[in-house]
Amino acid sequence: MAGSTAVETSNRVRFDAGEVTGAIGDSVTVLPIVVALAVTTRVSLPHALLFFGVFQVVWGLRYGLPISVEPMKALAGLAIAGGLTYGELLGAGLLAGVVLLALAATGTLSRVESWIGTPVIRGVQLAVALILLRMGVELALGAPGAAAGGVGIAAVAIAAGYRRASALVVLGVGVAVALLSAGLPSVSVPALGVFPRGGPAFTAGSVAGALAQLAMTVGNAAVATALLFEDLLDADVSVDDLAGSMGGMCLLSIPFGGIPMCHGSGGLAGKYAFGARTGGANVVLGGGYLLAALVAGGGLLAAFPMALLGVLLALIAVPLGDAARESDALLLTVGVGVLGLLVGVGVAFLVGATAHWVLGRWFRIGFAR
């Protein structure tokens, strides 16, 4: 994948019905996670949406492709579940950003992916899914009736053929309930400043979180995304270029109130499935995020029903954990996932990566890279 950044075409940014509907494909993943972060942590929803909007447009124009811009799911999941403080979330994101830029500059990302191994990457995804699911159940038990209503809404969406969008549907209902309770929010431009809600914390927790996130980012956000571009759009996108853009997003947005961001194969697949073929979908979605940032402040988040948030977290967790089935060493993947739930994702990653290396080197057990 060492060719040009993107396939050259005269239609790099197009605006038609497919690009407009395709924009929905990325928001299915992004909005539920970002709202959950804002409800459970000190993350500013207006600032997060502002930077998602900016980078959707920037990368849509830069690549001319429907590239995804997503939260770093391992870090987001750990922060939502209380495994990382807000400061540790920022610190881990900055550390991950520096490492990604270094990998891009040295062209060593593919070698790192080979060392980590697919079973370990899937195990980290499973661990984060289990952590989110546990918190989702705890929140749902606080108001079982409301949670049952949320499950019913999700079930109807899934039965109607909108499985991927079911979390977005539940989010919409939760926002509607919050609007009825808190009223319409006023329009407000997010104030820019350096670390507006507190600075980063560089602790053992933030280092462990960064390691866990890098395992997912290398495999899913860089290598898998580059391969999917080739498969779906016949576009040659360098994994090192993707690493550089992800590192840049983190280092440019986090100091000004944003959250750790990356690309991802899931968001790309979603955009493509909804009709996107060029960077026009990014421009459309970026504009929507920027408009949403203007009305995302106020007391709206405080009024969001926590039981529906629990259902939302479970819906996010299911597809994330389902990726474990793609592992070529399911026992190792499940072991990493369960260890991550019980002990911590960072420890599980280190144990899993070591086990993967030992099994492959000393016992000659083959794994897909």
Side-chain angles (χ1 to χ4, degrees):
M1 310 300 296
S4 60
T5 298
V7 64
E8 290 300 325
T9 171
S10 58
N11 244 351
R12 286 169 58 87
V13 176
R14 186 170 73 229
F15 299 102
D16 56 26
E19 301 303 313
V20 174
T21 58
I24 300 171
D26 215 3
S27 61
V28 167
T29 301
V30 172
L31 288 176
I33 293 177
V34 174
V35 170
L37 264 175
V39 171
T40 56
T41 73
R42 297 208 310 270
V43 165
S44 165
L45 183 59
H47 287 84
L49 290 173
L50 170 66
F51 285 104
F52 271 103
V54 167
F55 283 111
Q56 280 282 352
V57 174
V58 166
W59 301 131
L61 297 176
R62 165 73 171 83
Y63 288 96
L65 294 165
I67 191 168
S68 67
V69 179
E70 306 175 2
M72 285 187 164
K73 292 187 182 70
L75 295 182
L78 291 172
I80 290 168
L84 291 176
T85 66
Y86 175 70
E88 287 174 330
L89 171 68
L90 302 188
L94 291 172
L95 290 172
V98 170
V99 172
L100 286 168
L101 282 181
L103 291 173
T106 57
T108 56
L109 188 142
S110 59
R111 276 175 280 174
V112 171
E113 190 267 344
S114 177
W115 175 76
I116 294 172
T118 300
V120 181
I121 294 170
R122 299 304 183 197
V124 170
Q125 289 176 298
L126 178 60
V128 174
L130 291 173
I131 290 169
L132 286 174
L133 185 61
R134 179 175 62 188
M135 184 177 184
V137 171
E138 291 173 354
L139 291 175
L141 290 176
V151 171
I153 292 167
V156 170
I158 292 170
Y162 298 102
R163 178 179 295 274
R164 276 183 52 83
S166 58
L168 200 59
V169 173
V170 173
L171 173 62
V173 172
V175 170
V177 172
L179 284 171
L180 289 174
S181 175
L184 293 174
S186 58
V187 176
S188 176
V189 178
L192 289 182
V194 179
F195 296 114
R197 295 206 169 182
F202 298 101
T203 65
S206 60
V207 172
L211 287 173
Q213 179 59 58
L214 286 167
M216 286 177 60
T217 297
V218 168
N220 178 64
V223 176
T225 299
L227 291 173
L228 200 58
F229 271 130
E230 186 174 356
D231 292 342
L232 296 180
L233 296 164
D234 194 26
D236 185 7
V237 181
S238 163
V239 292
D240 294 316
D241 201 54
L242 290 173
S245 62
M246 290 187 289
M249 277 195 292
C250 290
L251 297 183
L252 291 173
S253 65
I254 291 173
F256 302 102
I259 64 172
M261 293 184 286
C262 63
H263 302 308
S265 57
L268 168 58
K271 278 183 172 173
Y272 185 89
F274 278 87
R277 298 295 184 271
T278 78
N282 288 64
V283 177
V284 171
L285 182 56
Y289 284 155
L290 292 173
L291 290 175
L294 299 177
V295 295
L300 194 62
L301 289 176
F304 194 92
M306 297 305 287
L308 285 186
L309 179 63
V311 176
L312 198 61
L313 294 182
L315 290 171
I316 295 169
V318 169
L320 189 61
D322 192 53
R325 296 193 303 171
E326 300 175 21
S327 173
D328 59 300
L330 192 58
L331 185 61
L332 178 57
T333 294
V334 172
V336 172
V338 173
L339 188 63
L341 174 67
L342 298 177
V343 179
V345 177
V347 173
F349 163 71
L350 292 174
V351 171
T354 301
H356 176 267
W357 183 82
V358 169
L359 290 171
R361 182 175 180 86
W362 296 105
F363 293 94
R364 305 299 181 186
I365 296 177
F367 298 102
R369 298 303 189 190

